[in-house]
Each structure stands twice: as structure tokens, then as C-alpha cells.
Amino acid sequence: MSPMLWAKHQPDRFDIYSAGLVLMQLSIPKLRTEKALKTFRRALEANDFDLFAWKSYSRLAVNVPILEVEDDAGWKLAAAMLRQRVLVVRTMMPRGRFSCLLPQPICPFASMAVVHSGRGDKP
């Protein structure tokens, strides 16, 4: 892939979000249909990507033991993977320079999805 295309579209930013969706589908079998996944994504967006807000009212989130182990560690991981972030994305200027910065909500990349406790890292 061209470095210019990589810089413009940043496909690595979508990996963790996609993995979060797969984690949810593996944990909640009813999310495995296309219709259910679209409904889940819309509900997540409506709740500002707050998985715990979705969990509080969704019938699908009841009794998901795999996510509830270790004091809801699975839910916390999924929430970190699925939350929305606003990152600066460089776009092409007419002269071919990468100088126009536009904030744009996109999905996370690995270093922002995990908060390392004790080191002071922030997502």
C-alpha cells in the first residue's frame, strides 16, 4: 500500500474497533446477524460509544459470563475497544502538502485502547 494512502486513511486505526465488535459477537451470539450488529452499532453511537450505558438497558447484555469474569474485565476491555476517539487526520492540500488538520471521529488504535495502570499513560 502506498505510504500516501496509508497516511491519508490510516487503516491501522480501525483494527481495535473491529476486534471489539468481534469480541462482542463471540461473547453474545445474538449479535452475530447483520441486522443485530447494525442495531448494536446504532445503539452504541446513540449512547456516545458508552458500552456500559448500552449494557444498562439491553436485554442482550444480561448474563454474559465470559465478559463478567474478574470484576467485569471483559466488559471493560470491550468498552475500551469500542469507544469513540477524536483524532487529528491529515488531509491533502491542493499543492500536495499534508498541512490541513481536521478533527474527525474515527476508531481507535492499539496504544489508545489500553490504559496501563501505574505508568500514568492516558488514552
Side-chain angles (χ1 to χ4, degrees):
M1 177 180 267
S2 162
M4 190 177 303
L5 284 174
W6 187 274
K8 182 176 180 186
H9 298 289
Q10 299 177 341
D12 58 318
R13 307 291 166 100
F14 294 91
D15 290 342
I16 296 298
Y17 182 82
S18 298
L21 289 176
V22 171
L23 174 64
M24 292 303 294
Q25 288 179 308
L26 290 171
S27 304
I28 304 173
K30 291 188 178 188
L31 288 179
R32 294 179 188 166
T33 67
E34 187 174 337
K35 182 180 176 184
L37 188 59
K38 284 181 182 180
T39 302
F40 171 71
R41 290 179 68 181
R42 279 193 295 267
L44 199 58
E45 288 176 28
N47 286 291
D48 294 322
F49 294 89
D50 183 352
L51 186 63
F52 289 102
W54 174 82
K55 179 186 173 196
S56 69
Y57 70 82
S58 176
R59 290 180 287 137
L60 296 177
V62 176
N63 194 22
V64 186
I66 192 77
L67 297 177
E68 296 166 358
V69 175
E70 299 278 334
D71 193 31
D72 285 344
W75 283 111
K76 291 172 186 173
L77 174 65
M81 295 170 88
L82 294 172
R83 71 176 186 232
Q84 183 182 29
R85 288 154 185 87
V86 177
L87 302 173
V88 176
V89 178
R90 294 182 178 267
T91 60
M92 290 288 293
M93 293 298 289
R95 295 177 297 176
R97 308 194 97 196
F98 290 95
S99 58
C100 180
L101 299 177
L102 300 173
Q104 184 177 2
I106 59 175
C107 300
F109 54 95
S111 64
M112 294 181 72
V114 178
V115 177
H116 301 283
S117 61
R119 289 191 2 197
D121 297 343
K122 293 184 180 180

